[in-house]
Amino acid sequence: MTEAVAGPITLRELQDIPVERLKGVGDKKQAALKEVGVSSVLDLLTTYPRRFVDRTDEARISDLVPGQEALVLVTVRSVTKRTMRNRRTMVEAKVGDGSGSMHVVFFNQPWRERQLREGLQVALFGKAELFRGGQQMTNPIVDLIGDRTGKIVPIYPQSEKAQLSTWEIAGWVENALERCALRGFEDPVPFEVRRELGLIDRGRAMRQIHMPQTMGEKEQARRRLAFDELLRVQMVLVMRKRAFEREQRGIRHDMSGDLVRRFHAALPYPLTGAQSRAIAEIESDLAGPHPMHRLLQGDVGAGKTVVAVSALLCAVQGGHQGALMAPTEVLAEQHAAGIRQLLDGLRVPADNLFGERQLNVALLTNRVTGQERRDVMAGLADGTVDIAIGTHALIQEGVAFHSLGVVVVDEQHRFGVEQRAALRTKGSNDAVPDVLVMTATPIPRTAAMTVYGDLDVSVLDEMPPGRTPIVTHWANGPLMELAAWGDVRTAVAAGQQAYVVCPLIDESEKLEVASAQETFERLVHQDLKGLRIGLLHGRLPSADKEQVMGAFRRRELDVLVATTVIEVGVDVPNATVMVILDADRFGIAQLHQLRGRVGRGQAASLCWLVTAQLEGTSPRVEALVGSTDGFELAEIDLELRGEGTLMNTMQKGRSDLRIASLRRDRELVALARSVAFGIVDADPMLVRNQPLLDELGLLLSAQDEEFLFKS
Ligand code: ADP
Ligand code: MG
């Protein structure tokens, strides 16, 4: 071995050492480890304990409080197995510690009989209950401690199936750490940064996460290792952001015209402070040399449309074109209708004898065909179309723009790096158009930094004035549902209107339409008999859809029964009541979006969330009842669903978060981001920090890697 001359050990070296090189890992264990995703020493060392038992402060049986969850460290005294009348098995164990004894029962886990041998030390985590005068736990989580010593015992994720126990893993980890001790761990975080943030070095963190002497040591280690994970993610995002800025030539938009100013002056209301701020941020990006990559976040009803249209008009004003891309054709059509209305009467200078002409807004979706389509395409190519509205088809091959200056993307999910690349070809003279991504899904700040960390962010955190908060009720079961219909009638009697949202059926649009039809019939003939009711769903031809929406807007209908097609873009301030059926089938964000369709006028608004009679509570429904603040709801959503879901749905390949949590580590996310900026701005290609560059390549997804090594 060359250990004496080699420098500190790197993560890549650890990745290159197969786990079977460790003492005690034979063929059988190697296969078992592989099954849980551990093949290298690095995999093993980053298999962090999922819990720690503090022997100095352990809960004893005598301290258990019935009804409360607790952890106890006990010895197994006896085990019996029985088969009950319904053929289910019950394994019963008697366990004890110095303070007393208790019963533990397991239903339908016959293998527990073999697992829990007499004399074995186990940690049990579960809810204590009183049974026949004694303490008992039913189906607790069991961790075998084996003969591990030490005050703090780490408990590793173990696999019954793979036959791996926590003490075996602990033993191998210890062996690996011992063998690393001589060289120590390479630490890519500069010393000054560590000192400033109070972070321990990596080697110490590795030891302390696996073999802490105190819970405080474990916390220190966790913070350091979480920081590493977050820093890697931020490094990639920040490097990508800076690379865009470096490599892409943008359009310096000419801001001297008065089109945007005239647009604002013609609005029937003043801009909110938040709108003005966002518009100023966008204008400063547009005037600058780099292409804009900005995210506009704002709750439903915060007034994003005006901001987006302002950005598009900046392009038009400077002699370029603007495009708005919606995720679906229906939404594109709705946007087109809304924006045409908003821009009605706005005139632009024309290069002909007439001096001025009406601004030309064109819709381009797959439903625009034949001569109409040819006309739109020609207008895009010769520049007579000022603003194009459509789906992603707009930026695909074959669509030529005269000079595309600004692109607004509504809803971020489907606009990734590849789409941005497609934009390169759409500007003039190879300049890349500016991009504004608009989302109505509030994302907690730190999550946004992680998921959209390569974008700049503007937030509309202020609602237009004069909104009355929406009061939300939960109708739990058919009896309470009657109250909802009562409120609909009251609102209609007062000259107002209502929405009824039909149950969401994920699996099939056809079923969803059928159920909407059914709901419609029921309301017409029973609950809302006598009112003027319209039906809107995704399978209607667009002319019919437009006709129904128009009738509702003109108040020729009292109630609009709809599937979730109304989720975005419908704006009828006279609608004050919303009834959402089977509300517990929707996610928090979606309910919040739907609810945002009311509460848009001066009158007080109501939302009823109807569910079948539920026994317990419905956390999502209760969240909606408790709050109308989209950002607060987003935090709750993150809490309920876990960040895994968020990361999965929003971005592929952010799988590196093993110990960091976007919920717990908010402060660290922001710190990691600012450290990443510091590092990248001083050393854009990381030539002076090879270890860090190497780790980014090693641990981030293929997609990120490709980016790193391409530049
Ligand atoms: P979002 O797209 O953010 O959900 P919209 O742009 O559809 O919101 O605007 C919601 C409603 O608020 C619209 O009726 C719009 O006319 C109105 N609105 C927008 N900005 C203002 C403002 N500054 N003052 C008053 N009303 C506004
Ligand atoms: Mg909108």
Side-chain angles (χ1 to χ4, degrees), residues 19 25 27-40 42-48 50 156-166 168-170 172-173 658:
V19 75
V25 183
D27 285 354
K28 209 168 123 230
K29 291 300 173 187
Q30 185 203 340
L33 281 166
K34 191 158 186 190
E35 209 166 305
V36 295
V38 175
S39 5
S40 70
L42 180 63
D43 298 335
L44 181 73
L45 289 179
T46 53
T47 300
Y48 301 115
R50 66 179 157 93
Y156 291 92
Q158 44 196 321
S159 163
E160 308 283 359
K161 209 172 93 227
Q163 303 267 314
L164 286 174
S165 63
T166 179
E168 284 175 313
I169 298 175
W172 297 323
V173 167
R658 283 174 165 232

Side-chain angles (χ1 to χ4, degrees), residues 78-91:
S78 64
V79 186
T80 53
K81 183 169 86 172
R82 294 197 270 140
T83 303
M84 295 176 299
R85 241 174 312 171
N86 54 11
R87 320 274 294 310
R88 301 205 324 162
T89 56
M90 180 171 109
V91 172

Side-chain angles (χ1 to χ4, degrees), residues 278-584:
I279 291 170
E281 286 163 354
I282 291 167
E283 289 185 345
S284 120
D285 287 355
L286 293 182
H290 306 305
M292 168 171 78
H293 294 288
R294 185 171 284 278
L295 177 73
L296 177 65
Q297 269 209 73
D299 212 341
V300 242
K304 290 183 292 299
T305 313
V306 167
V307 177
V309 170
S310 302
L312 296 172
L313 290 176
C314 284
V316 176
Q317 166 178 278
H320 300 278
Q321 294 160 295
L324 185 142
M325 298 195 299
T328 66
E329 299 193 340
V330 176
L331 288 173
E333 285 161 17
Q334 289 181 7
H335 270 305
I339 288 174
R340 279 190 176 125
Q341 205 177 0
L342 205 55
L343 294 177
D344 193 32
L346 197 66
R347 307 189 65 80
V348 289
D351 33 84
N352 60 26
L353 289 177
F354 305 103
E356 277 193 331
R357 60 175 176 84
Q358 170 69 34
L359 197 84
N360 189 1
V361 178
L363 173 70
L364 185 68
T365 69
N366 286 336
R367 289 203 273 239
V368 177
T369 53
Q371 187 56 42
E372 198 186 349
R373 186 177 191 85
R374 284 191 289 278
D375 289 347
V376 173
M377 300 280 268
L380 292 175
D382 69 14
T384 48
V385 168
D386 301 297
I387 293 179
I389 298 179
T391 55
H392 283 156
L394 270 183
I395 60 157
Q396 269 148 25
E397 257 174 85
V399 181
F401 283 82
H402 179 63
S403 172
L404 182 56
V406 171
V407 178
V408 175
V409 186
D410 188 4
E411 282 307 312
Q412 71 293 356
H413 304 250
R414 301 163 216 205
F415 195 74
V417 179
E418 314 87 62
Q419 277 88 358
R420 280 193 221 161
L423 286 179
R424 282 174 200 256
T425 60
K426 303 291 178 190
S428 55
N429 303 327
D430 270 358
V432 179
D434 294 274
V435 177
L436 180 70
V437 176
M438 200 163 57
T439 174
T441 315
I443 307 155
R445 219 173 78 84
T446 52
M449 279 184 189
T450 311
V451 182
Y452 303 117
D454 51 352
L455 304 178
D456 294 303
V457 179
S458 295
V459 182
L460 295 186
D461 51 5
E462 176 188 351
M463 283 289 170
R467 303 270 166 86
T468 36
I470 305 161
V471 175
T472 303
H473 298 294
W474 175 15
N476 186 7
L479 267 181
M480 290 188 69
E481 189 182 325
L482 293 179
W485 305 130
D487 280 341
V488 171
R489 286 183 180 281
T490 307
V492 171
Q496 297 162 358
Q497 292 160 287
Y499 295 105
V500 177
V501 180
C502 297
L504 177 72
I505 300 175
D506 275 333
E507 309 82 62
S508 145
E509 194 194 15
K510 207 167 143 201
L511 282 180
E512 188 163 282
V513 169
S515 121
Q517 193 76 43
E518 218 168 88
T519 304
F520 175 73
E521 301 289 335
R522 172 166 71 95
L523 294 178
V524 166
H525 296 294
Q526 296 168 33
D527 302 279
L528 297 179
K529 195 168 170 181
L531 304 189
R532 298 168 303 168
I533 308 181
L535 174 64
L536 188 69
H537 60 68
R539 291 227 163 164
L540 286 179
S542 36
D544 294 10
K545 239 180 262 172
E546 214 15 75
Q547 196 269 325
V548 174
M549 275 311 306
F552 191 65
R553 264 189 226 112
R554 293 188 300 272
R555 304 194 188 181
E556 293 158 19
L557 292 172
D558 303 313
V559 177
L560 185 65
V561 176
T563 53
T564 50
V565 289
I566 61 161
E567 191 175 342
V568 192
V570 178
D571 194 8
V572 180
N574 191 48
T576 58
V577 180
M578 169 160 295
V579 181
I580 303 178
L581 300 174
D582 276 356
D584 47 340

